[in-house]
Amino acid sequence: MSNNIESVLKEDRVFEPPTAFVEQATLKPADVDALYKAAADDHQGFWADQAREHITWHTPFEQVLDDSDAPFFKWFADGQLNVSYNCLDRHLESRGDKIAIIFEGDDGGVEHISYRELHARVCRFANALKTQGLGKGDRVVIYLPNVPQAAVAMLACARIGAIHSVVFGGFSAISLRDRIDDASARMLITADGNYRGGKLIPLKETADKALSEGCESIEKVIVLKRADCNANITEGRDMWWSDAVDGQPDQCEPEWVDAEHPLFILYTSGSTGKPKGIQHSSGGYLLGAICTCRWVFDLGDDDVFWCTADVGWVTGHTYITYGPTACGATQVMFEGVPTYPEPDRFWQMVDQHQVSIFYTAPTAIRALMKQGDEYPQRHALDSLKVLGTVGEPINPEAWMWYRRMIGHERCPIIDTWWQTETGAHMITPIASYTPTKPGSATRALPGIAADILDESGAPVTDAHQGGVLVMTKPWPYMLRTIWNDPERYKDTYFGMYDAHTYVAGDSAQRDEQGNFRILGRIDDVVNVAGHRLGTMEVESALVAHEAVAEAAVVSRPHEVKGEAIVAFVILKTDGGSEKLASELRDWVSEQLGAIAKPDEIRFADGLPKTRSGKIMRRLLRTVARGDEVTQDVSTLENPQIIDQLQARGA
Ligand code: WTA
């Protein structure tokens, strides 16, 4: 009984924004009240005002929202701008010499890049792209390490109106090939390799493998020399980055594009089929990046911002390449890993670069928490003002550790809920304003209409009841479509209720104060170390192995990674062995990348299926977690299989 009360009390811990923080903040509580009020009074007028205030338009817009073809929404459609101009040129006069990027390599080497220098590099690279025949609307795949050149390549694409699709450097040749093919990219930008945690990642080798198995659309490959690891260069197709920019002028007139012109495609896992190319706009997306940096983090001119994500994920797009630069801020960019050379790398870097806003993933916090308090205790950490998290639910224990050990109880903890599709923060505390609660992403931002619905579409009002998380109004920085597949866009995000109700794919719950708690995915997607993976993709990879007849993939909780992958595998012939299990794990890692590697493979004679042939994944999840099966198994075609699956896990 006392345990129960205590856990209830624990969930009720509420932390007001620290007074000292609020006093120095740019955005005061009254300002935030005004934002919430303006947004509630006039949704479109509010966003129009924000867009006029924060974006430098080449042609000002007259139209705000066009919802005549819902769910294909358009924002600021008759306005024209250039995103790279907003991130670079407009700062040159006021803060040209200000440091834009403090880059720290895996080996500890540090480079400071000013706005003037970043602008020059982007212009030179944009001119190099033009020399290679690229222009507005062309797709460019970027497969680079987390180095400034990745941001330069992205901004250079934006400058000439080309559409980038960044593929995370940890993805395999097959994943890279599929993404290149789906986007019909004309160019690939990669590196020979790089070091992460002291280990060589041979990017060009992987890229060559991808290129040898498809990728017919690729005409040119630009290769950054980062590891000096004797990468193969194919005459006529490949060229070194340094040669491509050699002699290029450091000015490049921006291509003015419509606000709705696609800025990028970023592939993300869906529950079924191939990854979805999430397509974002130029104007609306940029607005989301700017507003959320300013509101949520209180990002100002004197801050040093550090988002530890990789540019290969949406977090790196919005909170490295676009948001901080559009705000004219100074940021840290890091190539390495938190535990190399020692588990205090993050904290050592926070002190060294005097980081004031730090944004990372719960999985990193849990991993570092496990290493012990001695590592953060070695460092002062007194430059920190705001601490953020993203990517998955953060458990209250990790939240409290983050607050105590890293924030010294002085920094607001900002648990930001959003998605590749939403473009930027959606449900999150505002540092100077929102009382926070461990494990809760708190409230929707001004101009964001979040709700929780039951299956019939009625709002869930009971605080103890979960439901489907939805957005009931469009917002400027939402995705515009799925590349090449508008029908899938409609079905996936607007298929459950109506064309104005965006379904996020997560379930959520709201407490008596109206704070949201995200419960997890409602579809078959697992979240490993903050990375979304479709169980379908892992299953397809397994089935592609010659020994495998059928596979079903589920997750179980993992104390560091959040979730771990468990695969149930049916072989073509008998004889599941330890050796084959390990071969299959490596096989998946090769096909999809190391993050998709199953923690466990369980062989069985069959999978639990309904009579209509659907695999009962919910049941498998119960088995994988070692929980007692309480579900009704009477609809199963082969109920005896459950005993076998359970026994094999013991
Ligand atoms: C999950 C990452 C709980 C969620 C920006 C979402 C979260 C998916 C949180 C999107 C959070 C992200 N609390 N869950 N603060 N942030 N998620 O597209 O399931 O890689 O739908 O975008 O991660 O992952 P994605």
Side-chain angles (χ1 to χ4, degrees), residues 179-333:
R179 286 158 172 76
I180 289 173
D181 285 345
D182 191 73
S184 307
R186 292 182 63 193
M187 179 183 275
L188 171 66
I189 302 169
T190 187
D192 53 351
N194 81 310
Y195 288 90
R196 273 190 92 223
K199 278 201 308 229
L200 178 67
I201 318 279
L203 286 166
K204 182 60 164 58
E205 203 182 297
T206 310
D208 279 336
K209 224 161 142 194
L211 293 171
S212 70
E213 292 166 1
C215 306
E216 254 98 68
S217 57
I218 294 287
E219 295 160 28
K220 294 281 179 202
V221 181
I222 294 183
V223 187
L224 174 73
K225 192 175 273 185
R226 177 79 193 140
D228 216 353
C229 57
N230 287 320
N232 161 64
I233 292 290
T234 302
E235 258 336 293
R237 185 195 69 188
D238 303 354
M239 87 199 71
W240 291 108
W241 178 297
S242 53
D243 294 335
V245 297
D246 190 35
Q248 293 289 357
D250 59 9
Q251 294 293 330
C252 174
E253 176 66 14
E255 177 81 29
W256 304 108
V257 299
D258 292 346
E260 283 295 315
H261 180 69
L263 178 63
F264 65 84
I265 308 168
L266 183 59
Y267 286 85
T268 187
S269 297
S271 55
T272 52
K274 55 180 188 170
K276 300 175 285 199
I278 303 301
Q279 180 182 318
H280 276 286
S281 69
S282 297
Y285 170 81
L286 179 66
L287 183 63
I290 298 172
C291 288
T292 57
C293 277
R294 295 216 177 283
W295 299 342
V296 175
F297 296 121
D298 200 55
L299 178 61
D301 237 345
D302 301 327
D303 282 307
V304 178
F305 181 82
W306 183 14
C307 165
T308 71
D310 188 286
V311 284
W313 307 107
V314 74
T315 308
H317 283 56
T318 308
Y319 299 104
I320 296 178
T321 303
Y322 293 112
T325 55
C327 294
T330 296
Q331 70 174 314
V332 172
M333 188 175 185

Side-chain angles (χ1 to χ4, degrees), residues 51-129:
R52 291 191 185 101
E53 181 183 337
H54 293 296
I55 290 179
T56 308
W57 295 90
H58 183 67
T59 312
F61 61 90
E62 294 290 331
Q63 292 168 23
V64 184
L65 170 66
D66 175 357
D67 60 0
S68 56
D69 188 23
F72 299 94
F73 300 103
K74 295 192 179 98
W75 285 89
F76 321 123
D78 58 350
Q80 287 203 314
L81 78 163
N82 180 280
V83 171
S84 91
Y85 180 92
N86 275 272
C87 295
L88 302 167
D89 305 53
R90 65 169 170 166
H91 306 311
L92 293 183
E93 214 168 283
S94 55
R95 41 170 87 86
D97 294 322
K98 181 174 173 177
I99 298 303
I101 299 178
I102 305 171
F103 171 65
E104 184 163 323
D106 189 60
D107 63 3
V110 173
E111 186 187 2
H112 288 81
I113 304 166
S114 68
Y115 272 95
R116 204 177 310 289
E117 174 62 21
L118 188 61
H119 173 264
R121 289 193 198 185
V122 168
C123 287
R124 279 199 293 271
F125 198 71
N127 286 323
L129 294 178

Side-chain angles (χ1 to χ4, degrees), residues 268 313-315 389-394 415-421 427 441 504-506 518 520-521 527 530-532:
T268 187
W313 307 107
V314 74
T315 308
T389 72
V390 58
E392 55 188 312
I394 176 163
D415 175 358
T416 63
W417 178 87
W418 59 295
Q419 312 174 287
T420 306
E421 293 87 340
I427 301 178
D506 283 355
I518 310 298
R521 302 290 304 176
N527 194 328
H531 301 319
R532 253 164 87 180

Side-chain angles (χ1 to χ4, degrees), residues 245-573:
V245 297
D246 190 35
Q248 293 289 357
D250 59 9
Q251 294 293 330
C252 174
E253 176 66 14
E255 177 81 29
W256 304 108
V257 299
D258 292 346
E260 283 295 315
H261 180 69
L263 178 63
F264 65 84
I265 308 168
L266 183 59
Y267 286 85
T268 187
S269 297
S271 55
T272 52
K274 55 180 188 170
K276 300 175 285 199
I278 303 301
Q279 180 182 318
H280 276 286
S281 69
S282 297
Y285 170 81
L286 179 66
L287 183 63
I290 298 172
C291 288
T292 57
C293 277
R294 295 216 177 283
W295 299 342
V296 175
F297 296 121
D298 200 55
L299 178 61
D301 237 345
D302 301 327
D303 282 307
V304 178
F305 181 82
W306 183 14
C307 165
T308 71
D310 188 286
V311 284
W313 307 107
V314 74
T315 308
H317 283 56
T318 308
Y319 299 104
I320 296 178
T321 303
Y322 293 112
T325 55
C327 294
T330 296
Q331 70 174 314
V332 172
M333 188 175 185
F334 178 43
E335 184 183 25
V337 299
T339 47
Y340 176 84
E342 287 215 59
D344 67 340
R345 183 74 182 265
F346 275 179
W347 320 132
Q348 179 263 320
M349 284 179 62
V350 164
D351 275 8
Q352 183 180 343
H353 305 302
Q354 290 293 290
V355 172
S356 58
I357 304 170
F358 181 73
Y359 190 34
T360 196
T363 186
I365 297 169
R366 286 192 296 266
L368 294 172
M369 186 172 141
K370 255 185 101 167
Q371 303 279 344
D373 295 350
E374 62 182 281
Y375 293 104
Q377 277 166 350
R378 284 182 193 169
H379 305 279
L381 304 178
D382 53 2
S383 56
L384 289 171
K385 292 199 310 206
V386 180
L387 300 175
T389 72
V390 58
E392 55 188 312
I394 176 163
N395 47 309
E397 195 195 348
W399 196 102
M400 290 303 293
W401 183 84
Y402 197 30
R403 177 182 144 82
R404 194 180 68 248
M405 285 310 301
I406 310 305
H408 298 171
E409 292 176 355
R410 178 190 72 232
C411 304
I413 306 293
I414 307 302
D415 175 358
T416 63
W417 178 87
W418 59 295
Q419 312 174 287
T420 306
E421 293 87 340
T422 69
H425 300 155
M426 300 291 284
I427 301 178
T428 171
I430 291 177
S432 60
Y433 180 81
T434 317
T436 57
K437 207 175 152 173
S440 168
T442 72
R443 289 181 65 179
L445 286 174
I448 299 301
D451 205 347
I452 300 174
L453 304 184
D454 68 15
E455 277 174 14
S456 74
V460 174
T461 46
D462 180 346
H464 301 287
Q465 202 91 73
V468 176
L469 179 62
V470 297
M471 306 300 142
T472 55
K473 283 183 189 151
W475 63 102
Y477 47 101
M478 67 193 295
L479 79 164
R480 293 305 192 260
T481 188
I482 292 175
W483 183 259
N484 264 338
D485 206 346
E487 279 306 310
R488 194 174 173 198
Y489 163 78
K490 247 162 101 169
D491 291 351
T492 308
Y493 304 109
F494 298 90
M496 195 182 273
Y497 303 107
D498 60 53
H500 288 265
T501 309
Y502 170 85
V503 176
D506 283 355
S507 55
Q509 193 183 349
R510 206 165 10 184
D511 68 12
E512 282 83 358
Q513 291 79 42
N515 291 305
F516 286 83
R517 195 159 69 90
I518 310 298
L519 301 173
R521 302 290 304 176
I522 51 177
D523 54 13
D524 292 320
V525 171
V526 294
N527 194 328
V528 180
H531 301 319
R532 253 164 87 180
L533 297 166
T535 50
M536 255 304 289
E537 286 174 82
V538 184
E539 288 165 7
S540 314
L542 281 165
V543 175
H545 188 280
E546 55 180 11
V548 176
E550 209 181 354
V553 165
V554 297
S555 70
R556 68 161 171 241
H558 184 280
E559 63 172 315
V560 174
K561 295 189 285 191
E563 291 183 10
I565 293 176
V566 180
F568 293 88
V569 170
I570 317 303
L571 295 173
K572 287 185 181 151
T573 50

